[in-house]
């Protein structure tokens, strides 16, 4: 049975809070060591990360790049069925350079096995991110 909610499951919410606080180990702790993280559409082309270490390194690059300060999620719609989670949300971020707001739309497909994320497909809107 699929359930729908305007809130995220606690494990996922804690992971995002960790990411946005700059705690990459906290964020990547939800991933299996051999997890697959995919961003099919980015301004520079598809990204495919094939381990927790690669995910951590990639996210470190985003945080250290300093273009974006993470904000909060709004318009959250989460759907769970078994070990699968689908999230639609808008993130209210800010540009690091001048503090101006930037909203990014996300759709995430997340699969877990034995309590760990094994696959994460991140469909953010590349047109919005290229505006950064």
């Amino acid at each position: 049975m699929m359930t729908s909610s305007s809130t995220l499951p606690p494990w996922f919410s804690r992971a995002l809070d960790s990411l946005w606080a700059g705690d990459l180990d906290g964020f990547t702790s939800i991933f299996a060591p051999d997890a697959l993280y995919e961003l099919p559409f980015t301004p520079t082309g598809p990204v495919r990360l094939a381990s927790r270490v690669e995910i951590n390194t990639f996210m470190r690059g985003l945080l250290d790049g300093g273009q974006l300060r993470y904000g909060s999620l709004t318009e959250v719609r989460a759907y769970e069925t078994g070990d699968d989670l689908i999230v639609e949300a808008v993130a209210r971020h800010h540009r690091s350079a001048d503090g101006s707001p930037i909203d990014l739309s996300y759709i995430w497909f997340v699969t877990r096995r034995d309590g760990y994320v094994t696959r994460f497909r991140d469909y953010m809107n590349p047109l919005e991110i290229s505006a950064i």
Side-chain angles (χ1 to χ4, degrees), residues 86-115:
I86 301 168
V87 177
E88 295 178 89
V90 174
R92 310 279 183 202
H93 301 314
H94 293 88
R95 289 179 179 83
S96 294
D98 61 8
S100 61
I102 183 164
D103 296 343
L104 300 178
S105 302
Y106 292 96
I107 298 175
W108 295 311
F109 291 87
V110 183
T111 301
R112 293 189 342 152
R113 181 185 68 240
D114 299 326

Side-chain angles (χ1 to χ4, degrees), residues 7-130:
T7 60
L8 298 171
W11 63 269
F12 194 72
S13 184
R14 283 190 302 273
L16 289 178
D17 288 345
S18 293
L19 175 63
W20 293 351
D23 174 11
L24 292 177
D25 291 335
F27 174 68
T28 57
S29 69
I30 67 170
F31 291 93
D34 61 346
L36 179 61
Y37 192 109
E38 299 171 294
L39 295 110
F41 307 106
T42 75
T44 58
V47 172
R48 189 172 194 266
L49 310 166
S51 72
R52 181 189 299 154
V53 171
E54 286 185 19
I55 295 164
N56 192 301
T57 301
F58 178 82
M59 293 298 177
R60 170 79 48 214
L62 292 179
L63 289 175
D64 290 347
Q67 293 181 320
L68 190 66
R69 285 193 333 262
Y70 290 112
S72 60
L73 288 182
T74 63
E75 302 173 41
V76 175
R77 293 173 55 189
Y79 306 89
E80 283 187 280
T81 181
D83 287 336
D84 293 316
L85 171 67
I86 301 168
V87 177
E88 295 178 89
V90 174
R92 310 279 183 202
H93 301 314
H94 293 88
R95 289 179 179 83
S96 294
D98 61 8
S100 61
I102 183 164
D103 296 343
L104 300 178
S105 302
Y106 292 96
I107 298 175
W108 295 311
F109 291 87
V110 183
T111 301
R112 293 189 342 152
R113 181 185 68 240
D114 299 326
Y116 289 97
V117 172
T118 56
R119 187 171 186 192
F120 192 115
R121 285 178 288 153
D122 185 343
Y123 291 92
M124 60 84 177
N125 184 340
L127 298 176
E128 293 170 333
I129 197 80
S130 63

